[in-house]
Amino acid sequence: MLKRSVTLSMILVALLLLTIAPMTSAQDVEISLLQWSHFVPRYDEWFDEYAADWGEENGVGVTVVHIALSELNGNLAAAIDAGDGPTLIELLFSPASFIEGLHDLSDVNAQAQELYGDILSTCSATSYLPINDTWYGYTHGYVPDPGDYDIAMWSEVGYPAGPATYEDLLVGGAAIRDQFGVPLGIGMSPELDSNMAMRAIMWSYGASVQDENENVVLNSPETIAALEYGAQLFEDAMSPEVFGWTAASNNQGLISGDLSYILNSISAYRSLQKIDEDAAANIGFTPALEGPAGAFASSHVWQIYVIPTYVEGAELEAAKQFLLDHTGNYADATFNSELYNFPCRPDAVEDGVLEGWLAEDPFGSVPADKLEVLAGAGEWGVHLGYPGVANPAISQVFSENIIPNMFAVVARGETTPEDAVEEATERVNAIFEDWRERGLVGGGEEMEDE
């Protein structure tokens, strides 16, 4: 059932800001939502019931359709091209490259700020474009990406708490493969988990695609060092399967006991809990691993609602109200995701509630405080465009899988780190220049080739 905070938030919105027109009381207003099939099925069950209850209380017809995450971008593109489609579409990565077909949601983000407090930087960076002062999305949640490791195997090679640094990962991972024949599961293929893992290595080695001012800085000694590390990690501790990785591969490998370490959200662990409680008790978690430049990991995904420009009138206002009220019920959203969804606005969840769940997992972790490591995710979890914003160019670099492909060709010995980064930088520069010409990316000082 909806909490009283839903009704209260509607009243506060009307009193605090008048930038959104009052929602019509007519019964024929309808909104439709297209979003991913959540990795934790319990969340979709809760969300569908919540949406139906919200619609009944607000006199709005609500339809929710869930699809595979790989189909979201294509559906958004098709809807924008057709000028017709769902009211709200939920993406898992920055949709900045679609900005020209999306409503500016500055008003609803401002109201969320008034109602629920500050937004975390990993969330604002995936929905706000500073160059034109536009909130092209509404990011309500993010998902931490800890390391998941086999406690027994890592204990046998001297790391009972798992690896803490990339050097630990290399040394311990190699020892486990030599002793048990079990490799690490860090992907180097054109898919989302590989994109996240390879960026984590880069950031921890002091490398990045762009700087804080949106200048391309990929071609650097730090990137070359990260590529050399990735090649050594593959050679010493992994297997060729990582070049054919899919988004499900590391989950499946962890569940089957065929991988000693993966970089992923807790969804694989939650699945294992339901299959084999003893095996799940043998899984531990680490924060971002530390490299020469620090400890960084990308958030696993972000939950970002967008509203295409073809949505108008009462349908648009109802959609914005839905976004605000959903945030007002984020304790329920987090709980029913089995602590997978974290709130982008922490103050939307009563103080101490999330911390209490992490200290004593309501879903049966052994030990009960196993997930406490996630409490620091807001400190070590960053976004795809770090240290800049997730602008349209960064979004395109991600969708073209340039970073994991760069690591893969070096790890397979097909080219040198220097040549791989030079080729990747040429493509990245072209992408950035195209978006700069459209006025949607800042910077402009291309790094000279080394």
Side-chain angles (χ1 to χ4, degrees):
M1 296 298 294
L2 298 181
K3 300 187 298 184
R4 291 183 180 178
S5 60
V6 172
T7 304
L8 177 60
S9 71
M10 292 173 61
I11 296 171
L12 288 173
V13 167
L15 293 174
L16 287 168
L17 293 170
L18 298 177
T19 55
I20 294 179
M23 191 164 55
T24 178
S25 60
Q27 297 297 308
D28 59 354
V29 177
E30 296 185 1
I31 63 172
S32 57
L33 288 76
L34 180 68
Q35 57 197 63
W36 66 308
S37 296
H38 202 285
F39 289 151
V40 178
R42 178 192 181 109
Y43 179 83
D44 285 348
E45 295 172 6
W46 167 80
F47 184 88
D48 290 352
E49 183 177 353
Y50 168 83
D53 288 347
W54 182 92
E56 185 175 345
E57 289 193 10
N58 289 277
V60 177
V62 182
T63 303
V64 182
V65 175
H66 303 274
I67 62 175
L69 65 89
S70 60
E71 300 174 0
L72 291 169
N73 278 14
N75 275 268
L76 175 58
I80 290 173
D81 287 345
D84 188 35
T87 310
L88 285 159
I89 301 177
E90 185 185 49
L91 287 301
L92 300 186
F93 305 98
S94 170
S97 58
F98 296 98
I99 189 170
E100 292 160 315
L102 303 175
H103 273 292
D104 180 359
L105 300 181
S106 294
D107 53 358
V108 74
N109 277 281
Q111 294 194 39
Q113 178 80 13
E114 291 286 342
L115 289 168
Y116 309 121
D118 293 339
I119 186 171
L120 296 175
S121 61
T122 190
C123 300
S124 61
T126 59
S127 50
Y128 174 69
L129 199 60
I131 195 169
N132 60 0
D133 191 25
T134 298
W135 289 87
Y136 55 86
Y138 184 89
T139 308
H140 62 85
Y142 74 101
V143 178
D145 212 25
D148 310 40
Y149 70 97
D150 185 295
I151 296 172
M153 290 186 197
W154 281 88
S155 296
E156 284 291 326
V157 297
Y159 297 92
T165 68
Y166 277 102
E167 182 65 16
D168 293 345
L169 185 68
L170 177 62
V171 173
I176 289 172
R177 196 184 72 173
D178 290 346
Q179 185 171 338
F180 301 107
V182 178
L184 298 173
I186 306 295
M188 292 186 179
S189 73
E191 55 84 36
L192 70 92
D193 290 344
S194 299
N195 265 291
M196 305 307 185
M198 296 305 101
R199 280 171 170 78
I201 293 174
M202 283 178 56
W203 291 322
S204 299
Y205 270 74
S208 60
V209 174
Q210 65 176 2
D211 64 16
E212 63 274 16
N213 297 313
E214 301 177 276
N215 297 306
V216 176
V217 293
L218 182 61
N219 194 345
S220 70
E222 291 80 9
T223 303
I224 290 170
L227 289 170
E228 291 171 342
Y229 172 83
Q232 186 178 4
L233 186 67
F234 167 73
E235 182 67 26
D236 293 354
M238 296 205 285
S239 67
E241 282 78 10
V242 297
F243 300 125
W245 228 236
T246 70
S249 295
N250 52 14
N251 298 55
Q252 294 165 351
L254 186 77
I255 290 171
S256 64
D258 293 330
L259 298 172
S260 67
Y261 176 96
I262 67 173
L263 184 63
N264 207 338
S265 64
I266 66 170
S267 57
Y269 167 70
R270 288 303 194 203
S271 297
L272 185 56
Q273 281 184 295
K274 297 174 177 63
I275 297 169
D276 187 333
E277 292 182 359
D278 291 338
N282 185 48
I283 301 301
F285 297 98
T286 72
L289 300 182
E290 187 169 357
F296 302 91
S298 174
S299 297
H300 188 68
V301 296
W302 302 260
Q303 288 125 329
I304 310 163
Y305 279 115
V306 298
I307 305 178
T309 53
Y310 57 71
V311 179
E312 299 176 344
E315 180 186 3
L316 175 61
E317 304 314 323
K320 291 178 178 181
Q321 191 65 59
F322 183 88
L323 296 178
L324 290 171
D325 291 340
H326 178 244
T327 298
N329 284 269
Y330 222 82
D332 287 346
T334 298
F335 183 85
N336 286 286
S337 72
E338 299 179 11
L339 313 188
Y340 182 91
N341 292 27
F342 273 42
C344 281
R345 299 182 186 275
D347 290 348
V349 175
E350 186 177 351
D351 189 38
V353 170
L354 178 56
E355 292 80 4
W357 289 334
L358 295 176
E360 188 169 353
D361 180 19
F363 300 100
S365 284
V366 178
D369 64 353
K370 177 177 288 187
L371 299 179
E372 269 198 313
V373 65
L374 302 182
E379 300 172 6
W380 46 260
V382 296
H383 53 274
L384 291 178
Y386 181 83
V389 297
N391 57 43
I394 287 293
S395 180
Q396 186 173 343
V397 169
F398 173 79
S399 67
E400 291 189 13
N401 299 296
I402 292 172
I403 299 306
N405 289 340
M406 179 180 69
F407 273 85
V409 295
V410 175
R412 289 196 295 259
E414 296 174 1
T415 189
T416 65
E418 291 80 6
D419 287 346
V421 74
E422 185 173 347
E423 181 179 352
T425 299
E426 183 178 355
R427 178 58 187 150
V428 170
N429 276 333
I431 292 170
F432 269 70
E433 281 307 303
D434 177 59
W435 285 103
R436 283 196 189 100
E437 290 175 3
R438 296 159 72 171
L440 294 172
V441 169
E445 301 173 10
E446 292 180 8
M447 183 176 177
E448 296 181 359
D449 291 341
E450 295 292 325

